[in-house]
């Protein structure tokens, strides 16, 4: 970072609580508060004097903005500051004011209103009176935050909604909550099939907003007549107080006063004894005692934290609305008209966006300001798009053109259209794909760093009521007629494109230079196409793109929907044969046909590819393009092949050292051969570029480019095959090893997109899972994939269905569609009869509703349409069966989960109530249950550059075990996120979650809890109250609360996570086992045993009885049974765990020995208890059986390990790599005559056992870390260190270098050597802070000695080192820079928990055993812990 943010003790720790812009720092960095802040005294404007802490670098207007947000001043506005009788300039810095010192008196001065500022003041008052509640968020379709309601207690302090009161209430009831145990309701117990929706959104603990006024609106005498305007009247307002009195109020420059007008008589003169008030609420308090009382209560109420009060940049849709929408609708005083004030001019969205992009970026403060302005502009643009889409589709806007097939609309500075349905692209499906790809192309050009001067228009697409509209800002320079543009392209500034024609100018050369730089960043190849007039046109972009010089002097690129290369899997070869224009076209075609008839395969396809995969095949539209993530992964794969070829060639010619030392031509020849082999566009360096015009219909390429064309066709075929042969198998393997695989359609989409897999491959993914030998272990993925295919096909049918529905019938039509979808054999007569009954009660006729076409749709017809679409799009047949019950019985899908997915994808909002779909005689969803249809918008994501860099720096520090450094980086990132987006961003949620984990690792439990509270609220508001990430954040919050002694609140959080889990996916998922393990540990009584037994059942069903997760569940269940005195049952389960450990690690492994010791302890205790019981029976004395009960610290440590917050990592391969690396470097330096200054190799290997703690590592059955980044097998930075599972989670959902799959055989061999520990292996008793941290420091020293010195002769570094650095960089920056996830659990790795122990042992029968321990440690025996590779 250019202007690195200062770190250290000077920063206030409350920075993690969020810092607003008003309290921000200046460009010199994050300054210490004590250096720049000082108190001043505020007086005047009718407010009580108070002190304000100001900063010297603030501008006067910053101080004013801060004052306006204070409770003492709010809702006053239009104020200025005066010092010593002099009014202060708003743009003056406070530190430059003479006489301003600590304790100085600054006076508030009431400035005269203008007509506009008076309306702004009234709008501010209305915003305060409306007092948004969670019910308001539901009514507006925004996802609410449930955390405050969930953690609410019945103490007086805890009723406060802000975070501070929450902390006070939690601490004040800490003892009480520790001794209480939350009883889970029956619907949350394992095996329950009840899914109540009412529990998802409990009633808020916040009090309902009181009624301040009966009415507040513009007067019937408004607007003022001319003669009153001349005397300063702005507007007339009518107020009806709660006492029933009516007043007429005049707004004027000096404020507000009562006039003498009535409903019948206009008399604008001031009323008798009516004072003039500058603030509108002061006048209301004067005329209404009831308003004064309620308003005082409103001002004195505690303010919620910023993360709950601030509006989100973009609306996060919720599929559930208030249970009674009519009752929650209230008077918002909208008739006052201040919200609907018509702007003085239509906003120029393009100019606003480009002006924001052109802001300076020299300093940190400038970059933060630029990012914040970009986010604000784009957020306002998206809100305008939503309003415009509603206006257009609802019929309030007339088209500006006369084309009924492609109507275009102008609204609010937006150009909105559906796009032309071209037959070349595939009709309606092609039109929608073009709109989506245009947005992706704009995003790609916008994300290019350092490319200044090339602009794209603000773009968004919105789906509303079955119509997809594309919205863009108006580009300058496009006002000329179409006829002028055809005759003279330069008349609209067209400088680049197929239709631009030959021209030469400085502006064109400048544009071409910008496009060339963009093409390099996007890996696009410069190529030549043949225009319609026969001319050959060189291009840096796709054939459709155009480059414009706007009237504002900026360069724009438009029509970028074919920016990314084509997907050859969905481009049948018969359509691509005619692309190359040649005189021998016919002969070449016949030659190709002969080759095909002989069974020859085209260059680029693997052998038997078409027979095995069925590709290439056709698709409903012809705009199938590769994702940018796939392009980067494929380039990484080719780079690995390149290095392998170079290494092989050099080994054949004498080795790398000899060729590099002598600098002969053998190295050049090897590089040239490798470039040709992998398909590099250059023959001297590795460079992969792709031609976006290859396999594009309607594009002709010249014969002179035939060699390049064949190479590009080969590369695209290889890239397409790479999805089938590498990416999809890697995703399936990840799902087999991980317990945090996708839960719903959104998480599935994110997971496959991060690996470059398009959703059109869901059918093939389903086929791959069904053909897998372990498909039973992948049933949760198959369930999610089937549900996503079903809902996406249903959405396309629903879009067509809505086209024939008029507005008055929307609710009835949508409810009828959902009944046909979810109820088997549903007949429309049921809906008709129900509607007729209701209409009779209401006294309305229903003849029109009965005769509409949509009402005749039956369940069977709808099912056939959905199945037909699924076959055409995903090439699946007989997967849906005959009805919805088949999906439930065959795949375990829940109808409630399907309903949720459908509503989220279509924008439908349902009334909050419980729905039952098993009743065949009654429609489960009525028209009254359909509350609204909201627009679903897709938009450009604006980057948080500096905050993201700080997050990546923290990830690197975590991977190296430098937790203190990671903590500072994360605090820095949290501050930067608060400056740019007020923390309300998905990346900010990830940052805070990671910060909480690091703080917990450092022993800062209170800070971890506080930060995690914010992470949960952000996830609920930004991602959704039932998003899978929200589930995970609740689990982490439960762990930190349990660590702080808040057991009851921890139980509530875990139960909330389970409720969301059951609603989103159901119980049959590996992550449910993690949840149930935690619940079994924190709950007491028999219910804890139910959850532990269910976790064991799930782990066995997904991972097998001998897998590590199952063994861990066996141990936890044995521990629980010991606490209940059931030693026989505990012995049975611990024997199973011992069997699993023995099969996994062998007899001599520390974990196996620990399990044997624990089993011996149970056996001895069982014998002793049996002896005591027999003795008591003989003596006729009642004897209490003593139980082995784990301590709270032991339970906490087990929860931490189960959830993956903490674990140890060790790798003997690191020592092996260092040995090989130093040997190679020593040989190279010896030839150059340079003395090797590093430590002897023998010392490196001799200390490996001490460094690793246990000497040898455990076999890893393919953890998500390895699947995501195989290059870490030899990564020098990955030494022994304290590392939590979130170290791996940084990359757990990121597609790793696919070329590393070829390392698996070698890696398996390495792991086989370290499966069992040596006979002299020592199980160390590790103090969780001191000794582990010491191991990390020792690691750091070894890394410095063994790795950093390798840069002495940079040109002589091994190929492996270069490759690992490359793969690590690309994983972190290319594939994983934006999609942050923190969901890796220890259950996904085959490790040992023998190395993480609790310092306190278990006391059995009043004495502490010397050689045995239960979940603790005694001498060298441990009973829990985990090691992840």
């Amino acid at each position: 970072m250019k202007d690195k943010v200062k770190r250290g003790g000077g920063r206030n720790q409350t920075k993690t609580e969020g810092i607003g812009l008003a309290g921000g720092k200046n460009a010199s960095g994050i300054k210490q508060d004590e250096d720049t802040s000082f108190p001043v005294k505020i007086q005047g404007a009718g407010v009580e004097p108070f002190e304000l802490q100001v900063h010297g670098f603030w501008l006067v207007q910053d101080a004013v903005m801060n004052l306006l947000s204070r409770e003492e001043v709010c809702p006053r506005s239009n104020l200025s500051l005066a010092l010593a009788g002099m009014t202060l300039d708003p743009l003056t810095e406070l530190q430059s004011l003479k006489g301003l010192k600590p304790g100085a008196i600054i006076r508030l001065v009431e400035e005269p209103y203008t007509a506009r500022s008076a309306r702004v003041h009234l709008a501010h008052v209305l915003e305060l009176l409306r007092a948004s509640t969670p019910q308001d968020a539901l009514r507006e379709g925004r996802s609410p935050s449930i955390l405050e309601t969930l953690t609410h207690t019945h103490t007086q302090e805890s009723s406060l909604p802000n975070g501070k009161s929450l902390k006070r209430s939690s601490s004040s009831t800490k003892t009480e909550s520790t001794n209480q145990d939350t009883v889970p309701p029956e619907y949350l117990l394992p095996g329950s099939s009840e899914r109540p929706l009412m529990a998802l959104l409990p009633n808020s603990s916040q009090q309902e907003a009181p009624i301040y006024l009966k009415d507040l609106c513009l007067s019937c005498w408004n607007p003022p007549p001319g003669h009153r305007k001349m005397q300063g009247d702005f507007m007339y307002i009518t107020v009806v107080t709660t006492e029933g009195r009516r007043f007429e109020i005049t707004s004027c420059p000096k404020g507000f006063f009562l006039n003498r007008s009535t409903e019948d008589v206009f008399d604008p003169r001031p009323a008798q004894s009516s004072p003039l008030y500058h603030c509108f609420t002061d006048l209301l308090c004067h005329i209404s005692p009831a308003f004064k009382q309620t308003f005082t209560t409103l001002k004195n109420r505690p303010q919620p934290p910023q993360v709950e009060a601030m509006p989100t940049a973009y609306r996060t849709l919720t599929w559930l609305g208030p249970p009674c929408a009519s009752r929650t609708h209230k008077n918002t005083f909208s008739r006052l008209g201040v919200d609907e004030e018509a702007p003085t001019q239509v906003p120029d969205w393009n100019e606003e966006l480009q002006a924001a992009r052109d802001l300076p970026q020299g300093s940190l403060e400038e970059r933060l300001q630029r990012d914040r302005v970009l986010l604000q502009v784009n957020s306002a643009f998206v809100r305008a798009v939503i309003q415009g889409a509603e206006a257009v589709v609802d019929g309030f806007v007339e088209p500006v053109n006369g084309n009924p097939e492609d109507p275009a609309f102008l609204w609010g500075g937006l150009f909105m259209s559906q796009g032309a349905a071209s037959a070349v692209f595939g009709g309606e499906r092609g039109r929608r794909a073009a709109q989506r790809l245009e947005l992706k192309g704009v995003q790609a050009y916008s994300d290019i760093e350092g490319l200044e001067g090339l602009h794209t228009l603000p773009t968004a697409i919105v789906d509303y009521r079955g119509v997809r509209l594309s919205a863009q800002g108006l580009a300058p320079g496009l006002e000329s007629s179409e006829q002028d543009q055809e005759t003279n392209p330069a008349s609209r500034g067209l400088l680049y494109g197929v239709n631009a024609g030959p021209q030469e100018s400085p502006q064109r050369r400048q544009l071409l230079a910008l496009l060339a730089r963009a093409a390099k960043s996007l890996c696009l190849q410069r190529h030549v196409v043949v225009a319609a007039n026969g001319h050959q046109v060189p291009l840096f972009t796709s054939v459709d793109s155009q480059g414009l010089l706007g009237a504002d002097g900026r360069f724009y690129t438009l029509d970028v929907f074919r920016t990314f290369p084509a997907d050859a899997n969905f481009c049948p070869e018969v359509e691509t044969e005619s692309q190359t224009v040649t005189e021998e076209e016919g002969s070449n075609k016949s030659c190709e046909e002969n080759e095909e008839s002989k069974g020859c395969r085209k260059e680029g396809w693997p052998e038997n590819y078409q027979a095995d995969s069925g590709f290439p095949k056709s698709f409903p539209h012809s705009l199938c393009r590769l994702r940018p993530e796939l392009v980067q992964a494929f380039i990484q794969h080719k780079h690995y092949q390149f290095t392998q070829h170079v290494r092989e060639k050099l080994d054949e010619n004498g080795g790398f050292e000899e060729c590099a030392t002598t600098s002969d031509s053998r190295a050049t020849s090897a590089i040239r051969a490798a470039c040709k082999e992998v398909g590099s566009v250059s023959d001297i360096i590795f460079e992969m570029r792709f031609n976006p015009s290859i396999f594009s219909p309607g594009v002709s390429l010249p014969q002179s480019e035939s060699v390049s064309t064949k190479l590009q066709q080969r590369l695209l075929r290889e890239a397409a095959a790479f999805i089938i042969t590498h990416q999809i198998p890697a995703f399936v393997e990840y799902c087999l090893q991980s317990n945090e695989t996708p839960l719903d359609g959104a998480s599935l989409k994110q997971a496959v997109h991060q690996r470059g897999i398009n959703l059109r491959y869901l059918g093939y993914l389903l086929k791959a899972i069904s053909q897998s030998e372990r498909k039973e272990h992948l049933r949760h993925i198959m369930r999610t994939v089937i549900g996503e295919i079903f809902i996406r096909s249903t959405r396309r049918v629903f879009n067509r269905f809505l086209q024939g529905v008029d507005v008055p019938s929307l609710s009835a039509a949508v409810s009828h569609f959902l009944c046909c979808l979810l109820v088997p054999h549903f007949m429309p007569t049921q809906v008709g009869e129900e509607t007729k009954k209701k209409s009779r009660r209401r006294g309305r006729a229903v003849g029109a509703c009965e005769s509409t076409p949509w009402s005749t749709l039956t369940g069977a017809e709808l099912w056939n349409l959905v199945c037909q679409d699924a076959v055409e799009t995903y090439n699946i047949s007989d997967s849906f069966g005959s009805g919805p019950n088949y999906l439930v019985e065959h795949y375990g899908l829940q109808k409630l989960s399907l309903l949720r997915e459908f509503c989220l994808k279509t924008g439908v909002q349902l009334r909050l109530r419980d729905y039952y779909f098993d009743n065949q005689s009654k429609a489960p969803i009525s028209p009254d249950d359909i509350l609204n249809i909201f627009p679903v918008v897709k938009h450009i994501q604006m980057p948080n550059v500096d905050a993201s860099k700080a997050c990546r720096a923290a990830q690197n520090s975590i991977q190296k075990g430098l937790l203190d450094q990671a903590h500072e980086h994360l605090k820095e990132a949290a501050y930067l996120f608060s400056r740019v987006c007020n923390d309300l961003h998905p990346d900010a949620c990830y940052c805070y979650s990671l910060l909480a984990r690091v703080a917990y690792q450092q022993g800062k439990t209170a800070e971890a809890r506080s930060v995690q509270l914010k992470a949960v609220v952000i996830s609920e508001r930004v991602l959704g109250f039932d998003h899978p990430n929200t589930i995970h954040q609740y689990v982490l919050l439960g762990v930190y609360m349990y660590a702080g002694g808040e057991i009851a609140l921890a139980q509530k959080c875990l139960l909330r996570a389970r409720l969301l889990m059951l609603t989103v996916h159901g119980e049959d998922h590996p992550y449910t086992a993690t949840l149930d393990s935690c619940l079994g540990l924190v709950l007491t009584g028999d219910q804890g045993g139910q959850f532990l037994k269910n976790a064991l059942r799930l782990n066995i069903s997904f991972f097998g009885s001998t897998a590590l997760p199952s063994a861990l569940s066996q141990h936890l269940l044995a521990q629980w049974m010991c606490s209940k005195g059931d030693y026989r049952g505990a012995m049975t389960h611990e024997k199973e765990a011992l069997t699993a450990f023995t099969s996994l690690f062998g007899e001599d492994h520390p974990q196996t020995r620990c399990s044997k010791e624990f089993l011996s302890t149970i056996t001895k205790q069982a014998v002793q208890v049996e002896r005591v019981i027999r003795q008591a029976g003989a003596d006729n004395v009642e004897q209490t059986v003593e139980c082995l009960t784990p301590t709270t610290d032991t339970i906490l440590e087990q929860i931490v390990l189960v959830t993956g917050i903490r674990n140890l990592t060790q790798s003997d391969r690191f020592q092996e790599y260092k040995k090989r690396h130093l040997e190679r470097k020593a040989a190279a330096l010896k030839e150059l005559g340079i003395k090797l200054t590093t430590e002897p190799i023998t010392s490196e290997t001799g200390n490996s056992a001490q460094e690793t703690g246990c000497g040898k590592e455990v076999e890893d059955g393919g953890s998500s870390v390895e699947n995501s980044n195989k290059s870490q097998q030899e990564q020098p930075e990955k030494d022994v260190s304290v590392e939590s599972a979130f170290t791996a989670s940084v990359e757990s959902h990121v597609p790793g270098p696919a070329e590393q799959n070829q390392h698996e055989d070698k890696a398996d061999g390495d792991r086989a050597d370290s499966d069992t520990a040596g006979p002299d292996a020592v199980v160390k008793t590790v103090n969780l802070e001191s000794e582990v941290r010491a191991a990390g420091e020792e690691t750091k020293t070894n890394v410095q000695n063994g790795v950093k010195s390798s840069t002495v002769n940079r040109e002589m570094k091994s190929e492996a080192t270069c490759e690992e650095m490359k793969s690590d960089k690309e994983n972190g920056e290319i594939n994983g820079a934006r999609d942050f996830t923190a969901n890796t659990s220890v259950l996904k790795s085959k490790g040992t928990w023998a190395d993480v122990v609790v310092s306190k042992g278990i006391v059995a029968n009043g004495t502490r055993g010397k050689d045995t321990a239960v979940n603790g440690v005694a001498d060298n025996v441990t009973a829990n812990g985990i090691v992840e590779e």
Side-chain angles (χ1 to χ4, degrees), residues 15 37 63 83 128 142 156 225 276 310 362 446 500 603 768 788 840 956 968 1023 1078 1084 1239 1254 1275 1339 1396:
K15 190 178 291 105
S37 62
L83 178 64
L128 182 66
R142 294 181 285 108
Q156 182 177 1
L276 180 67
M310 293 294 295
S446 301
E603 186 180 8
E788 185 69 4
R840 286 174 180 172
N956 295 332
E968 288 301 317
L1023 297 175
C1078 296
T1084 60
E1239 295 180 1
C1254 287
Q1275 188 82 358
T1339 296
V1396 175

Side-chain angles (χ1 to χ4, degrees), residues 275-295:
L276 180 67
Y277 290 93
H278 188 267
C279 183
F280 185 67
T281 54
D282 290 346
L283 178 58
L284 294 179
C285 292
H286 173 73
I287 63 178
S288 173
F291 177 85
K292 182 177 181 180
Q293 180 180 358
T294 54
F295 186 71

Side-chain angles (χ1 to χ4, degrees), residues 1037-1047 1050 1081-1082 1192 1195-1196 1199:
L1037 179 60
V1039 175
Y1040 304 145
M1041 285 187 168
Y1042 188 88
E1046 302 168 282
I1047 299 178
L1081 290 171
V1082 302
T1192 303
I1195 295 176
L1196 174 62
I1199 296 175

Side-chain angles (χ1 to χ4, degrees), residues 246 338 1366:
R246 181 187 181 94
V338 293
K1366 172 72 174 178

Side-chain angles (χ1 to χ4, degrees), residues 451 453-454 495-497 500-501 503-520 526 537-541 546-548 555-556:
L451 184 64
L454 186 61
L495 300 178
Y496 170 84
Q503 51 180 302
E504 187 64 31
S505 65
Q507 292 84 359
R508 175 180 168 84
R509 289 193 295 270
Q510 186 178 354
L511 175 60
L512 290 178
L514 292 172
L515 292 174
R517 290 173 54 192
K520 182 177 181 180
R526 179 185 180 277
V537 182
L539 296 176
F540 292 101
T541 61
Q546 298 179 350
L548 306 173
F555 294 108
Y556 294 89

